[in-house]
Amino acid sequence: MTMKRSRSIKGNRYTPDQDIESMSGAIGSLFKAPSPRKVLPVTLLFSVLGSLVIFYPLHDQYLNGFLILFLPALFASLATTPLAKSVGGTMYSRRSTLLATIVLFLMLIALSFGRLLVEVFDVSRIHVLTYAFAVILWARHLILLTLSHHSHRKIFFASANQTMMGILLVFLILPGWTNIDILLALLFCSSFLLGSMFYTIQMGGPMRQSFGASQLALTRAMMDHMTEGGKAGKGMLERFFGGFSEEMDVPIEIASFRRPGQDKPKILLVLPGVHPGPFGTLGASDLSTKLEGHLQDLADHIYVPHGTTGHDLNLARSSDCTKIAKWVRNALHGLEYSDQAGIAVRFDREAKVLAQVIGNGVFLTGTFSPKATDDIEASVGDWIYKTVELESELTPVVMDAHNSIIRGSGSVYWGTDKAKELFEVMTKGSRDAVASPRDRFKLGYSEVRKFSIEKHGIGPKGIQAMVFEVQGTLSAYLMFDGNNMTRGLRELIMSEITDLVDQAEVMTSDNHIVNAIIGGINPVGCKADRKKLATVSRKLIQQAIQDLEPMEASVTTGTIRRVKVFGHGSTVRMTTVINAGLATLLPSAATSISLSLAFSLLSGFVLDLLL
């Protein structure tokens, strides 16, 4: 699909839930490095500039300066990856090449200041060069502690190789040095290495005090998981989540739709009471794909909409997805099916609901669009569920369409005006749906999966469409495998399909796998062409209408025991701690580099006095 420039989701500050998504995406996007072939010309340029800065107008030393700067950078590009991997760290040639070039730019800045010292105080160029190489040791050590391995001892040689090679070349190539110069070089390096260690202690304080975990180890695991995917970093992150999570019993519902006379469902709708987060493939993220992997032998299609759950109900471990699948597998036995369904009805105020009786269930799909909201909290959904169940004597299937968001849009919490509005609209919609005519129904299905997370903000399940027909009236349920929608996209899609069906709703699955991009927050419509998404939606509805066939339905509900979820308030607490850690970054960096500078200069001054 054709791409347009990304659309921002403008609004207020991020909510705590959105903070986690944004930070995870931003961390994962660090060091998605270009190829070494693209970086090498920049390395050459910085080496030439650095040589000119420090040796001008000594023309006979330009080549020496170039070699002193370029060869260590080239050596570090080649040596850092195997050195890091030899101690169990994570590193790639792209990252090591980019890192060597970034710190070479820092050297260029340090050499520029050093040149002033050469001119004003007649400082030795040897001292300036060795000092600049010591400065980059500070930067390389911090970056590799984050990217590769959290042990100072194990990562030392991977951190120090560019500095060691550079200082060695200074003493091999440049004349006039003494043993004092070697001693000063060691003092400079020691000062900046100790400064980097101080910085990591300061930076990791909030996380260590609140969760007993290493900020560096967690950041590295998050980086690995977001950039490599799969199992990378997953074990450490899920163990961390498990450390503060709590076991709960969570509700679950399924709706099975099968052809008359057949046992295997055509469509199996699964609605577990867990939130499809936190991000990447951790916990319940990519829940629809995980459940499809477990249940694909049971039904032709697996349909996993978003229920009334918030981030406190994120699964702490992916393995609990198997508990969900096991419950579904057992629940399919002995279901009683009905071929009756009611005509779908809408009831729209500030909140809006599409309500329809299908089999023994009443399906309620709610939204506030075009007003922006995030999740509907579980307590609100439970209030609606119990009221509708009591009034209708049917099994409610309460779904959050999750289809309009801006930055800072909050969830629907118990006791708020939004919660009361949603309750009134959904219960009124339920009563209207129960009173609407019922008859035998047909169901058609279509899907398309030709999307990517980076380009379209849509997960592996793509877009799924279900269309019901009752007494000649059509109702459509269109679900995008993404995390919410940019404001107004739902209305654009609805306008595109309004002539095809009598009622419709556009939903997202709230799949948090799509947050593994720069910025983290990646709603449907933020990157992909909105008009093309509307066109694809229209085609899917048309295909689902062509697929209409007689169907039976059965809805059942139950409880999954002892599932580990984040627990009440954990997301806010974790966000607060991470923000506290981020707030110390600049002050700690300034303190660290200042102490390193002061200690190294003082050491040099004292050594000069003594000798």
Side-chain angles (χ1 to χ4, degrees), residues 3 121 225 347 366 401 404 469 535 586:
M3 291 293 301
F121 299 105
H225 185 68
F347 183 59
S404 180
E469 181 183 10
T535 300
L586 289 179

Side-chain angles (χ1 to χ4, degrees), residues 97-108:
T97 305
L98 181 60
L99 175 59
T101 304
I102 288 173
V103 298
L104 189 56
F105 176 71
L106 296 179
M107 273 200 76
L108 187 58

Side-chain angles (χ1 to χ4, degrees), residues 208-527:
R208 197 166 43 249
Q209 291 167 13
S210 297
F211 292 102
S214 165
Q215 176 104 30
L216 288 172
L218 288 173
T219 303
R220 191 188 73 255
M222 192 178 294
M223 177 89 68
D224 290 345
H225 185 68
M226 300 299 278
T227 56
E228 300 174 49
K231 296 182 179 179
K234 193 171 184 176
M236 174 173 286
L237 289 169
E238 291 196 344
R239 283 194 298 273
F240 167 67
F241 297 148
F244 62 78
S245 297
E246 54 187 287
E247 288 188 333
M248 291 179 59
D249 297 342
V250 298
I252 183 172
E253 292 178 275
I254 61 170
S256 176
F257 303 97
R258 72 179 187 184
R259 301 170 182 90
Q262 295 190 9
D263 291 328
K264 185 177 182 180
K266 176 179 181 177
I267 302 171
L268 183 58
L269 185 152
V270 183
L271 192 65
V274 297
H275 186 266
F279 52 84
T281 60
L282 302 172
S285 289
D286 205 19
L287 180 64
S288 51
T289 304
K290 290 174 180 176
L291 291 181
E292 183 179 57
H294 287 294
L295 303 172
Q296 58 188 348
D297 62 307
L298 295 184
D300 296 338
H301 308 287
I302 306 297
Y303 194 91
V304 186
H306 183 35
T308 55
T309 58
H311 285 247
D312 288 345
L313 289 172
N314 284 332
L315 285 183
R317 54 196 182 196
S318 301
S319 58
D320 276 343
C321 290
T322 59
K323 285 188 176 182
I324 298 173
K326 183 178 179 181
W327 185 94
V328 172
R329 192 173 288 274
N330 293 333
L332 275 178
H333 299 295
L335 292 180
E336 295 184 5
Y337 286 83
S338 168
D339 61 2
Q340 298 291 298
I343 295 175
V345 297
R346 292 205 68 91
F347 183 59
D348 294 353
R349 295 193 322 200
E350 180 185 359
K352 302 172 178 65
V353 65
L354 176 63
Q356 185 169 16
V357 172
I358 306 172
N360 63 319
V362 53
F363 289 70
L364 303 169
T365 309
T367 181
F368 282 86
S369 184
K371 290 192 174 181
T373 55
D374 202 345
D375 299 309
I376 299 170
E377 289 297 300
S379 55
V380 179
D382 190 52
W383 182 29
I384 294 168
Y385 181 97
K386 289 180 177 177
T387 303
V388 171
E389 183 183 39
L390 184 64
E391 289 183 354
S392 67
E393 297 184 348
L394 296 170
T395 303
V397 180
V398 184
M399 296 177 285
D400 175 8
H402 208 62
N403 55 13
S404 180
I405 193 172
I406 60 172
R407 180 180 300 177
S409 52
S411 297
V412 181
Y413 295 103
W414 170 263
T416 62
D417 289 341
K418 279 188 174 181
K420 295 172 185 176
E421 166 71 6
L422 187 66
F423 172 82
E424 291 174 4
V425 167
M426 280 203 163
T427 52
K428 173 64 165 62
S430 170
R431 289 191 289 270
D432 291 348
V434 171
S436 71
R438 301 185 200 180
D439 206 338
R440 292 181 179 179
F441 74 97
K442 294 180 180 179
L443 171 60
Y445 177 88
S446 64
E447 67 176 36
V448 61
R449 301 195 184 196
K450 58 176 183 179
F451 302 98
S452 77
I453 292 170
E454 288 283 354
K455 292 181 179 180
H456 309 114
I458 299 175
K461 289 281 284 180
I463 309 173
Q464 298 172 277
M466 291 195 302
V467 174
F468 292 86
E469 181 183 10
V470 181
Q471 293 184 357
T473 64
L474 299 175
S475 55
Y477 298 79
L478 188 69
M479 183 170 68
F480 289 72
D481 192 27
N483 183 359
N484 222 309
M485 287 184 165
T486 54
R487 188 162 56 179
L489 177 57
R490 177 244 186 201
E491 285 67 33
L492 176 63
I493 294 172
M494 293 280 278
S495 68
E496 187 72 21
I497 63 176
T498 188
D499 62 316
L500 299 177
V501 294
D502 299 279
Q503 302 291 353
E505 191 54 82
V506 181
M507 307 182 287
T508 68
S509 63
D510 197 22
N511 191 347
H512 280 46
I513 193 174
V514 302
N515 295 337
I517 50 91
I518 293 174
I521 306 296
N522 186 25
V524 178
C526 185
K527 294 192 172 186

